[in-house]
Amino acid sequence: MQIGNPKFSFLRRTLLLLIPIALYVGLAIPATNNVLEAINPDGICYIRRAMYLNNGWVERSASAYWSPMISWSIVPFLRAGVDALHAAHWTLAVWGGLYMLAAGWFLHRVAKVRGILLGALMCVIGIFAIHVATSVITPDLLLSTWLFIYLGVVYSPRLLERKRLALLAGAIGGFSFLAKAYAFPVFFAHFAFTLLFFAWTTKRRDPSLAVSQISKRVFATGLLGSIAFVVVTGPWIGLLSYRYHKFTISTVGEIAHAYVGPKDEEEDRPDWFQVPPPPYIIRNEYTDFLPRTDWSPFSSRKNFVHQVSLIGKNSIELLKTAGSLDLLWLPLVAILLLPFAGRRLFDGSEDASEALWTVITLAIYCGGFLFIYFEPRYVNSMMLPLSLALCVLLLRILGARWQMLSIPPVRAVIAGIIVISFFIPAARETYAAMQPRSFPRYREIAQEILKPENMLKGPMASTALTRGTYLAYHLGMPFVGFPPDKNIDEVERRLFATDMGILVLWRPRPDAPQPSTKKARNRMDEIADELIHRPGWRRMLTRKWNPTTQVEVYVHKWPKKKSATTSVAQPLPAVHPAKAQPRAAVPHATSTTAPSEVH
């Protein structure tokens, strides 16, 4: 069979596609199985909203802070009877595979990567996707998947001429928004830039075209894309506006900006002590209803200096994130080498246009995080494929200027260096994901507490805010935290006011050797130690947590009283839908001080 045979070419392309798919499936299944009990606060909120939706509580599942698509994706697993936490992890495993395919299609369509190099780069992306999918339960992979599909569609020199492309790009942009709200500003900023970019390239390609004619094409294409975006996102935005009693697109931006606002040095620890309104069980679930302090960098000199400092700090973090993707910091090297392409970078050639468009795409996506709260996971799943595309494009551009780089063996060696440089860090992270990391103690302790003979009920209080949040999820009980007051009488009074059912403490095991460096305990731990020795407190359960720590469950027989607070939020059934709840806005939780946001 000859190389030119179409049947051979088809089989070769199919094989090069199946290799990364098989690699991903073979590694993603055991890696996901290792983290089925891993949990994080954001993940709880997405899972709980999937449970609300599964039970027919559509309005209660809607949130302007927690994007809906990951919760929607969990629901089919719940319908199939899969445990909710396990369902979330398997959902991310599926989206990791879709992300690999979408990023590979982007490299094929925009960077014109073909053959063995495309298969190798998809393997790198797939291995990286396993690490992202098994880290934390978040919608970052979903957003990146839709954005790479959008980028592959929107990058077309015929965008201004084909109405279907504009409609398709806008619709995919809408699905990106449903995956994560950050896509809203990214889509409109990037779509506008792309329209202007292709207007410029069209004028260079055909100088005879009048500017007014090109402007009409730009306006019509932009209008069609925007209409398609609104059609896809309109029902969700309408539901949010109905839910919040005003036109609402998202609250993520303002909360993420408020979270990094200037704070006074004397500011005390935020008050986490509050009773979640039903059906919520943790404070994070209604983040957008909590009071927050909005701030503007233009309201005072201090705020302006703080914003500039934040931009500088986040810029450094973005550069570190880009450098951490590979061994040689190739994304930064590629950007620094771009000027050496000289006039070829602006000569209108295909490679040069793709490289310019890719760099500005990366800048648009990352630029929004300069002003708000930032974590590397927000950008790394977009940075990796865009960086790979930029490196390959730069190799071709420089090869057109320096003949040595155009020699096939030299180009193959450099391409191999690119693959290896990105492969090794991704492989290290995936190898770590393959190691057993599940910690089933939260589920096991919850099962002990929920035994009928123990007769324990919620709400649950604890000085351990993170551990308490995770345990509350498995219990299905409201988690109130612990009063931050310094006076123990006031602490006990406020616990009494919540109709608290159990107090869960993580304390050192008396039979375990004390560590050489004693961990500092916060004030709430010290007050709790004194509180449980007061009259009326009784320890109901003690279980080993780890070699040095045990978990203790305490109850107190409170005087009978009529409480306006619902004491128990029953766990939601995972399969059978229930009757929808009546429309009601979530009230602010009672608190002595305004709690800070949880991002």
Side-chain angles (χ1 to χ4, degrees):
M1 185 179 290
Q2 297 181 354
I3 298 295
N5 191 313
K7 184 181 292 186
F8 179 84
S9 299
F10 173 77
L11 292 175
R12 183 171 178 268
R13 291 195 300 268
T14 304
L15 180 62
L16 289 175
L17 179 62
L18 289 178
I19 289 175
I21 292 176
L23 178 66
Y24 179 83
V25 172
L27 295 178
I29 291 176
T32 302
N33 196 56
N34 282 338
V35 297
L36 288 180
E37 292 298 323
I39 194 170
N40 61 295
D42 287 12
I44 292 175
C45 298
Y46 291 119
I47 293 169
R48 293 282 300 179
R49 277 177 158 72
M51 296 169 74
Y52 301 151
L53 189 62
N54 188 47
N55 286 273
W57 302 351
V58 178
E59 186 185 343
R60 289 297 178 95
S61 72
S63 170
Y65 187 79
W66 304 106
S67 299
M69 187 170 288
I70 186 172
S71 299
W72 296 348
S73 302
I74 294 172
V75 170
F77 288 94
L78 299 183
R79 293 281 179 174
V82 179
D83 175 83
L85 180 56
H86 298 175
H89 287 291
W90 289 118
T91 297
L92 287 180
V94 172
W95 276 103
L98 296 175
Y99 163 78
M100 179 189 69
L101 295 175
W105 185 66
F106 162 78
L107 291 173
H108 174 81
R109 182 169 173 82
V110 176
K112 305 299 186 292
V113 183
R114 303 286 190 270
I116 296 176
L117 180 58
L118 178 60
L121 294 182
M122 286 185 67
C123 288
V124 172
I125 295 170
I127 291 175
F128 172 79
I130 294 173
H131 158 61
V132 177
T134 56
S135 296
V136 288
I137 302 171
T138 64
D140 299 299
L141 271 180
L142 284 68
L143 171 64
S144 298
T145 300
W146 284 109
L147 284 181
F148 279 119
I149 297 174
Y150 156 77
L151 293 176
V153 169
V154 80
Y155 188 84
S156 172
R158 301 187 62 187
L159 176 65
L160 301 181
E161 303 167 13
R162 299 179 62 182
K163 296 179 180 179
R164 286 182 297 178
L165 279 179
L167 291 171
L168 185 58
I172 296 171
F175 288 119
S176 303
F177 167 74
L178 295 176
K180 194 169 183 179
Y182 184 68
F184 188 93
V186 169
F187 168 77
F188 282 104
H190 187 269
F191 193 54
F193 152 70
T194 300
L195 293 176
L196 296 176
F197 180 83
F198 282 121
W200 172 65
T201 57
T202 301
K203 183 65 177 177
R204 286 180 62 95
R205 187 172 62 249
D206 188 0
S208 63
L209 283 175
V211 174
S212 59
Q213 186 177 359
I214 297 177
S215 300
K216 289 180 181 178
R217 292 183 184 179
V218 169
F219 177 78
T221 305
L223 182 61
L224 288 173
S226 300
I227 291 174
F229 183 93
V230 171
V231 168
V232 172
T233 61
W236 176 251
I237 294 175
L239 177 60
L240 291 181
S241 300
Y242 174 78
R243 177 89 165 89
Y244 289 74
H245 307 285
K246 63 179 181 179
F247 180 73
T248 303
I249 296 175
S250 173
T251 58
V252 175
E254 57 191 89
I255 292 175
H257 190 249
Y259 188 77
V260 294
K263 294 179 175 59
D264 296 329
E265 293 183 3
E266 65 274 9
E267 191 172 0
D268 200 359
R269 180 175 182 154
D271 189 350
W272 257 75
F273 187 70
Q274 50 196 251
V275 183
Y280 308 126
I281 62 171
I282 62 171
R283 179 180 184 266
N284 307 56
E285 288 193 76
Y286 52 97
T287 296
D288 42 359
F289 285 102
L290 294 173
R292 55 183 173 270
T293 304
D294 295 327
W295 64 285
S296 168
F298 305 108
S299 62
S300 68
R301 177 183 176 85
K302 175 185 175 182
N303 285 2
F304 183 80
V305 171
H306 179 77
Q307 184 71 81
V308 172
S309 174
L310 179 66
I311 292 173
K313 175 185 174 183
N314 286 353
S315 298
I316 295 173
E317 292 301 316
L318 282 168
L319 293 176
K320 289 181 179 178
T321 302
S324 67
L325 295 175
D326 75 305
L327 294 178
L328 304 177
W329 287 55
L330 290 181
L332 301 182
V333 172
I335 293 175
L336 292 175
L337 287 178
L338 273 179
F340 289 94
R343 288 179 297 178
R344 293 185 183 276
L345 195 60
F346 302 95
D347 64 1
S349 66
E350 193 172 10
D351 288 340
S353 298
E354 292 161 357
L356 270 177
W357 184 81
T358 300
V359 170
I360 299 177
T361 296
L362 187 59
I364 290 174
Y365 183 81
C366 296
F369 292 109
L370 294 175
F371 307 94
I372 59 176
Y373 179 81
F374 170 73
E375 289 184 19
R377 67 175 175 84
Y378 296 162
V379 299
N380 57 15
S381 55
M382 286 298 295
M383 270 188 175
L384 182 75
L386 288 171
S387 299
L388 290 172
L390 182 59
C391 290
V392 173
L393 290 168
L394 183 64
L395 178 59
R396 292 207 295 261
I397 294 172
L398 295 180
R401 178 172 183 178
W402 294 315
Q403 188 174 2
M404 179 180 294
L405 294 179
S406 64
I407 300 174
V410 174
R411 189 175 285 190
V413 169
I414 297 177
I417 293 174
I418 293 173
V419 171
I420 294 172
S421 182
F422 282 91
F423 175 82
I424 292 178
R428 287 174 178 169
E429 298 290 352
T430 301
Y431 176 78
M434 298 292 291
Q435 310 309 307
R437 289 192 295 148
S438 285
F439 191 68
R441 291 299 288 159
Y442 291 107
R443 187 185 297 273
E444 294 167 357
I445 296 298
Q447 290 171 348
E448 289 268 352
I449 293 174
L450 293 174
K451 285 182 178 179
E453 58 267 27
N454 289 329
M455 295 187 296
L456 301 176
K457 66 180 184 67
M460 165 192 160
S462 178
T463 59
L465 300 183
T466 301
R467 285 175 171 175
T469 296
Y470 299 163
L471 183 60
Y473 164 76
H474 286 290
L475 289 171
M477 292 181 181
F479 177 52
V480 301
F482 195 83
D485 304 87
K486 299 178 181 179
N487 184 284
I488 191 169
D489 293 323
E490 179 65 12
V491 168
E492 195 169 44
R493 184 196 67 78
R494 294 185 67 189
L495 285 173
F496 165 81
T498 67
D499 201 16
M500 181 209 76
I502 58 174
L503 173 64
V504 182
L505 300 177
W506 279 262
R507 308 180 71 210
R509 291 180 60 192
D511 59 338
Q514 295 299 316
S516 56
T517 55
K518 188 175 181 181
K519 182 180 178 180
R521 307 186 73 203
N522 60 49
R523 184 180 68 240
M524 293 193 301
D525 288 324
E526 296 173 352
I527 291 179
D529 286 345
E530 184 180 350
L531 181 70
I532 58 178
H533 290 95
R534 285 191 152 201
W537 288 91
R538 185 157 58 102
R539 185 162 62 181
M540 299 293 295
L541 193 69
T542 302
R543 291 293 182 270
K544 176 183 177 182
W545 184 256
N546 59 36
T548 61
T549 307
Q550 65 186 22
V551 59
E552 302 173 356
V553 180
Y554 292 85
V555 297
H556 191 287
K557 187 171 179 60
W558 303 116
K560 291 183 179 180
K561 71 180 187 71
K562 293 182 180 180
S563 173
T565 304
T566 301
S567 62
V568 182
Q570 296 295 336
L572 292 171
V575 180
H576 304 292
K579 185 178 179 181
Q581 293 293 301
R583 178 172 183 255
V586 177
H588 287 259
T590 304
S591 174
T592 56
T593 60
S596 66
E597 310 323 322
V598 178
H599 187 80

